[in-house]
Amino acid sequence: MARAATTSDVFNAIAEPQRRQILVLLRSGERPVTELARELGMTQPGASKHLRVLREVGLVRDRKAGKQRLYGLDARGLRPVHEWTGGFERFWSGSFDRLDAYVQDLKQERQEE
Amino acid sequence: MARAATTSDVFNAIAEPQRRQILVLLRSGERPVTELARELGMTQPGASKHLRVLREVGLVRDRKAGKQRLYGLDARGLRPVHEWTGGFERFWSGSFDRLDAYVQDLKQERQEE
DNA sequence: TTGACGCATGCCGATATAGGAATATGATGG
DNA sequence: CCATCATATTCCTATATCGGCATGCGTCAA
């Protein structure tokens, strides 16, 4: 088997640097495909392909606007990623002054995926 | 070109579900390869390969312990991921009652990658 | 030294990319 | 209806996996 399809998993979708750049750009508002392509220095088909992946995992939504198609951010799908990484926060934030909570959380962690 | 090498990017390294599981397990302490493989239902070579990727991006470290090799977590590399996704937090947390900060941040965002 | 054990690596096959080029599809204006 | 602009899709190539299997290598005990 090869790598899991990017199309089915947000973690995979944001593994691509250019797709992350697209998401960052979309934070400041909707944009048509061509403008995204121009701002990121990629071809129009390239932008369309990345946008398709992002759409299929639900991170962007598209809206017809006359001849153009405006892509907008729907970042809710990033929340699980934020929370998953947040589960490791105690390992980089300060020292282990919160060791109590750490030890008490162990049981729960065993059950997370 | 194909997809970027997982070995050079934390985002790619954690795009693999089994690798995420390994990281979760390691939160509760160091473990030898065989135990990880057993707990996650994968083969020993499979576990070794995933651990190699995680080691190359710096998310785990290994330590020789006699015949065994103990792998331990070094989750600092997850911090950039947590912070990057955190940059989208206002899009999922509550409504836009923090619209002021949102608008004021726009200039800075333009410069992020 | 010889096994036995734990782990890493090499090789293979099947698959999923990312990117480029050309083209198809869609919508708009005249 | 036609020409044009904006996007999407298809075809193709090179490459990077992931998983299974066999094997190499280092360490420890007898």
Side-chain angles (χ1 to χ4, degrees), chain A residues 3-6 9 11-12 14-17 19-21 23-29 31 35 39 73-79 81-93 102 106 109-110 112-113, chain B residues 3-6 9 11-12 14-17 19-21 23-29 31 35 39 73-79 81-93 102 106 109-110 112-113:
Chain A
R3 186 184 288 193
T6 84
D9 177 19
F11 280 90
N12 254 309
I14 66 171
E16 217 321 305
R19 285 197 287 265
R20 290 200 297 275
Q21 292 185 343
L23 294 176
V24 168
L25 273 181
L26 291 181
R27 279 196 302 206
S28 43
R31 276 183 183 68
E35 185 176 337
E39 293 184 289
L73 185 63
D74 183 358
R76 288 174 297 176
L78 292 179
R79 183 171 188 169
V81 179
H82 188 68
E83 291 178 345
W84 186 82
T85 52
F88 296 84
E89 190 169 8
R90 62 171 172 280
F91 291 104
W92 70 66
S93 67
Y102 166 66
L106 289 185
E109 289 167 12
R110 292 280 186 170
E112 297 181 29
E113 84 171 67
Chain B
R3 186 184 289 193
T6 85
D9 178 21
F11 281 89
N12 253 310
I14 65 171
E16 214 329 300
R19 285 197 286 265
R20 290 201 296 277
Q21 292 185 343
L23 293 177
V24 169
L25 273 181
L26 291 181
R27 279 196 302 208
S28 44
R31 275 184 183 67
E35 186 177 336
E39 292 184 289
L73 184 63
D74 183 358
R76 288 174 297 176
L78 292 179
R79 183 172 188 169
V81 179
H82 187 67
E83 291 178 345
W84 186 82
T85 53
F88 296 84
E89 190 169 9
R90 65 170 171 280
F91 291 104
W92 71 66
S93 66
Y102 167 65
L106 288 186
E109 289 167 12
R110 292 279 185 173
E112 298 181 28
E113 87 170 64

Side-chain angles (χ1 to χ4, degrees), chain A residues 9-79:
Chain A
D9 177 19
V10 172
F11 280 90
N12 254 309
I14 66 171
E16 217 321 305
Q18 309 214 67
R19 285 197 287 265
R20 290 200 297 275
Q21 292 185 343
I22 289 177
L23 294 176
V24 168
L25 273 181
L26 291 181
R27 279 196 302 206
S28 43
E30 291 178 323
R31 276 183 183 68
V33 175
T34 303
E35 185 176 337
L36 283 171
R38 181 176 50 73
E39 293 184 289
L40 295 178
M42 54 176 100
T43 65
Q44 174 268 311
S48 279
K49 288 172 186 172
H50 283 311
L51 285 167
R52 176 177 185 161
V53 173
L54 292 172
R55 193 193 332 148
E56 288 178 338
V57 299
L59 287 174
V60 303
R61 280 178 302 184
D62 60 309
R63 174 170 77 83
K64 290 174 123 181
K67 221 185 295 188
Q68 298 183 330
R69 180 174 290 266
L70 295 179
Y71 277 90
L73 185 63
D74 183 358
R76 288 174 297 176
L78 292 179
R79 183 171 188 169

